[in-house]
Amino acid sequence: DQQVKQNSPSLSVQEGRISILNCDYTNSMFDYFLWYKKYPAEGPTFLISISSIKDKNEDGRFTVFLNKSAKHLSLHIVPSQPGDSAVYFCAASDTGANSKLTFGKGITLSVRP
Amino acid sequence: NAGVTQTPKFQVLKTGQSMTLQCAQDMNHEYMSWYRQDPGMGLRLIHYSVGAGITDQGEVPNGYNVSRSTTEDFPLRLLSAAPSQTSVYFCASSHAPGRGTGELFFGEGSRLTVL
């Protein structure tokens, strides 16, 4: 049973436009959500996070939105740049338990010059 | 800053052979974990540890053993390798819950092929 779902395996956008990456979760105990970015042959790196007490968190070109009632979060990248081309993983945790993160399958983002 | 260091980066094994993937972190993190990444499957948790002497199973623990004798090291052992264990393995660490955001720091990965 997949608790974190990234249903779109890939996304292609034009440079300068907005990229919207979606993520859904099923476990209502999750209270902390993170996005990781992964380039080929490298380990994932932390991008941005959001606590369940917020509905938005912004860091430069990256904004994460959380809709708890819909159990849905999204990552917005504005403007998209070719260097953003990577695999993006959504992850969630129940911080009351431990630091164990549950990851989605990832979305491959391609930003066309 | 070294961060999380994994060795080896590449390894080819024959079915039935054993090996250990090494992981070391220099950030004094209490929490360490091992993930495997397979095409179309994302990152799946194998084993994790919340501190020295404490380990627990993740989502896909079968065929793997771990131990945590020090805060810095968290080796992953394959006792009898199988082709299904062909994968890319990532070690990750973080501060314990309540002491940090839960953000994981990953190593660069170890690509294992079992023939």
Side-chain angles (χ1 to χ4, degrees):
Chain A
D1 180 28
Q2 198 178 357
Q3 298 186 69
V4 177
K5 302 177 182 181
Q6 295 178 263
N7 293 321
S8 301
S10 63
L11 176 67
S12 180
V13 300
Q14 192 74 37
E15 180 179 6
R17 306 293 287 270
I18 184 172
S19 295
I20 300 176
L21 288 71
N22 293 308
C23 177
D24 297 292
Y25 62 97
T26 59
N27 188 340
S28 59
M29 296 300 293
F30 288 150
D31 57 1
Y32 195 76
F33 305 89
L34 307 90
W35 284 92
Y36 283 81
K37 178 179 180 179
K38 184 184 180 306
Y39 291 118
E42 295 183 8
T45 55
F46 170 74
L47 187 58
I48 193 169
S49 63
I50 187 166
S51 165
S52 60
I53 63 173
K54 296 184 176 181
D55 55 18
K56 176 183 174 181
N57 188 28
E58 190 172 355
D59 183 2
R61 297 186 296 113
F62 303 91
T63 303
V64 57
F65 296 91
L66 176 62
N67 182 333
K68 290 188 291 295
S69 61
K71 294 191 175 65
H72 176 83
L73 62 155
S74 60
L75 174 68
H76 292 210
I77 306 173
V78 183
S80 300
Q81 300 173 353
D84 296 328
S85 297
V87 178
Y88 290 78
F89 290 101
C90 173
S93 74
D94 170 7
T95 56
N98 51 47
S99 293
K100 191 166 57 172
L101 288 185
T102 301
F103 284 83
K105 292 184 177 181
I107 301 172
T108 300
L109 173 65
S110 299
V111 180
R112 307 185 303 273
Chain B
N1 292 340
V4 178
T5 303
Q6 290 183 233
T7 56
K9 286 188 168 44
F10 301 94
Q11 183 71 49
V12 178
L13 290 177
K14 294 181 179 178
T15 297
Q17 287 185 317
S18 63
M19 77 155 300
T20 299
L21 298 176
Q22 302 291 345
C23 176
Q25 53 92 10
D26 61 359
M27 297 173 282
N28 200 31
H29 284 164
E30 299 90 344
Y31 180 87
M32 295 187 74
S33 55
W34 278 100
Y35 286 85
R36 60 179 287 175
Q37 184 191 12
D38 302 292
M41 300 297 291
L43 292 162
R44 293 183 292 170
L45 182 64
I46 304 171
H47 284 285
Y48 65 99
S49 169
V50 297
I54 306 169
T55 64
D56 206 346
Q57 296 181 350
E59 181 184 357
V60 287
N62 292 340
Y64 308 95
N65 281 350
V66 292
S67 60
R68 185 93 180 270
S69 57
T70 67
T71 300
E72 295 78 18
D73 301 298
F74 191 45
L76 179 72
R77 297 183 184 85
L78 286 72
L79 297 179
S80 180
S84 61
Q85 293 179 304
T86 294
S87 187
V88 181
Y89 292 85
F90 291 99
C91 180
S93 71
S94 73
H95 284 299
R99 287 197 55 221
T101 62
E103 173 193 342
L104 285 176
F105 293 81
F106 283 86
E108 293 186 340
S110 298
R111 182 175 293 275
L112 175 66
T113 300
V114 183
L115 303 176

